[in-house]
Amino acid sequence: MTVMAATRDAYGAALEELGGRYAEVVVLDADLSESTRTYKFARKYPDRFFQMGISEQDMVCTAAGLASAGKWPFASTFAIFGSRGWEQIRNMVCRANLNVNLCFSHAGLTVGEDGASAQALEDIGIMRVLPRMRVFVPADDVETARIIYHLVEHRDGPSYVRLGRAKVPRVHDEKYKFRAGHASRLREGKDATIIACGHMVSLALEAAEMLAKDGVQAAVLNMATIKPIDAEAIVEASRKTGRIVTAEEHNVIGGLGSAVAEVLAERAPCKMKRVGVQDTFGESGTPDELLKKYGLTKESIVAAVRGLMT
């Protein structure tokens, strides 16, 4: 049976565990600790939890101050609200190269009925352009925990972790070892390569299964690190299969698809198709309804691969 779990839940559990190991870990939230799951940390370590209210810019600046004082801050809110603090993220965190971990939840269309105003479809792009910022999009709960552990163990400067509201299928087992900046190969294939991140990884695997029934062997790469992106894996995929499809729960402009296209254009051009939100806003609806309407399904990935085969 497939295990279903939300990445935000894994984030909250990882923080709770790490709080007991490291006194330097501190957590900040912008009045959404129940939804972001930081309440788990707050409940056990109230003296290291800072509820900032609906004040995202202040939260970012406070996190920067704590980092400059030797603490290891994790700052959380919804992805759409975190963009309010972009100037502070740029100037207070990234320019100073401070170890601030921005872990923003409820990203993408799968926020669902909250509608277009709450569905962050641009956050990877606005974070990816910032110098020194690392960008991570975990595919499942196991990978989420591994990324949070990595950030505590390797305090290399600013990071952005994109988390979701909805439960998603687990694609990694407990033996999985996360390596920042390295794609994980989940399936081999010689005819095409599907490069996916976040929720779309499980759909990419299902799409590859569908293609295999028609004799098309598609490799699947989980690109959990969007920046620094694994350029070598992309180049290898281009040279080996000659066809690449990217899949992301994000605008096709500025996100994973753009990052992969940049590598291909400079180093290994090949046929490519981007599956994602096509430069538009979402709307209110259930997660499944929205993913289907905006073409973020296994069938859409299959169609993209088949389109490159002609």
Side-chain angles (χ1 to χ4, degrees), residues 109 112-117 119 121 281-286 290 293-294:
L109 287 172
E113 291 87 347
D114 288 353
S117 65
Q119 295 160 356
L121 300 172
F281 296 106
E283 59 188 288
S284 182
T286 68
L290 294 169
K293 177 170 182 176
Y294 290 91

Side-chain angles (χ1 to χ4, degrees), residues 2 31 35 64 68 126 147 157 172 197 205 248 259 279 297:
T2 301
D31 201 37
S35 296
S68 67
I126 65 175
I147 289 174
H172 298 98
C197 65
L205 288 168
E248 60 191 311
D279 195 25
T297 64

Side-chain angles (χ1 to χ4, degrees), residues 16-256:
E16 183 178 17
E17 180 181 349
L18 288 167
R21 296 191 202 175
Y22 304 101
E24 296 89 348
V25 173
V26 295
V27 175
L28 304 87
D29 204 290
D31 201 37
L32 289 166
S33 58
E34 179 70 28
S35 296
T36 62
R37 301 305 194 240
T38 60
Y39 76 88
K40 296 180 180 181
F41 183 95
R43 186 173 52 197
K44 280 197 171 182
Y45 316 104
D47 57 327
R48 288 187 275 144
F49 178 78
F50 302 88
Q51 182 57 267
M52 305 303 298
I54 306 174
S55 182
E56 294 81 8
Q57 296 169 330
D58 188 22
M59 179 179 71
V60 171
C61 291
T62 302
L66 288 165
S68 67
K71 301 300 181 181
W72 307 344
F74 286 81
S76 297
T77 184
F78 288 1
I80 195 66
F81 301 146
S83 61
R84 295 173 181 165
W86 190 86
E87 179 188 350
Q88 286 70 31
I89 294 168
R90 179 189 187 273
N91 288 323
M92 299 297 290
V93 175
C94 291
R95 287 184 63 217
N97 197 30
L98 291 173
N99 176 46
V100 173
N101 303 299
L102 305 168
C103 301
F104 295 168
S105 180
H106 289 60
L109 287 172
T110 48
V111 174
E113 291 87 347
D114 288 353
S117 65
Q119 295 160 356
L121 300 172
E122 312 81 14
D123 52 306
I124 295 175
I126 65 175
M127 292 297 186
R128 190 168 73 88
V129 299
L130 289 169
R132 299 172 179 157
M133 179 66 79
R134 299 165 295 164
V135 179
F136 304 101
V137 185
D140 63 9
D141 60 325
V142 172
E143 189 164 56
T144 300
R146 299 295 187 275
I147 289 174
I148 302 305
Y149 298 152
H150 171 85
L151 295 178
V152 167
E153 295 165 0
H154 302 85
R155 298 176 295 282
D156 301 326
S159 64
Y160 173 59
V161 182
R162 189 184 206 234
L163 303 169
R165 175 187 189 180
K167 292 183 178 181
V168 297
R170 180 179 292 173
V171 298
H172 298 98
D173 61 30
E174 292 297 337
K175 297 179 181 179
Y176 171 65
K177 294 182 179 180
F178 172 76
R179 294 195 301 157
H182 294 270
S184 59
R185 183 174 295 274
L186 302 182
R187 186 184 178 101
E188 297 290 344
K190 60 181 178 60
D191 299 316
T193 302
I194 305 168
I195 303 177
C197 65
H199 176 226
M200 299 302 290
V201 174
S202 63
L203 297 180
L205 288 168
E206 292 182 28
E209 288 287 347
M210 293 173 65
L211 288 163
K213 294 178 181 178
D214 292 333
V216 177
Q217 300 301 318
V220 176
L221 296 182
N222 170 25
M223 194 67 72
T225 306
I226 309 298
K227 183 184 178 185
I229 201 159
D230 190 347
E232 296 305 321
I234 297 168
V235 170
E236 179 184 359
S238 173
R239 292 173 178 167
K240 182 177 180 180
T241 68
R243 303 175 185 90
I244 290 179
V245 170
T246 58
E248 60 191 311
E249 192 187 348
H250 185 272
N251 194 336
V252 293
I253 298 174
L256 171 66

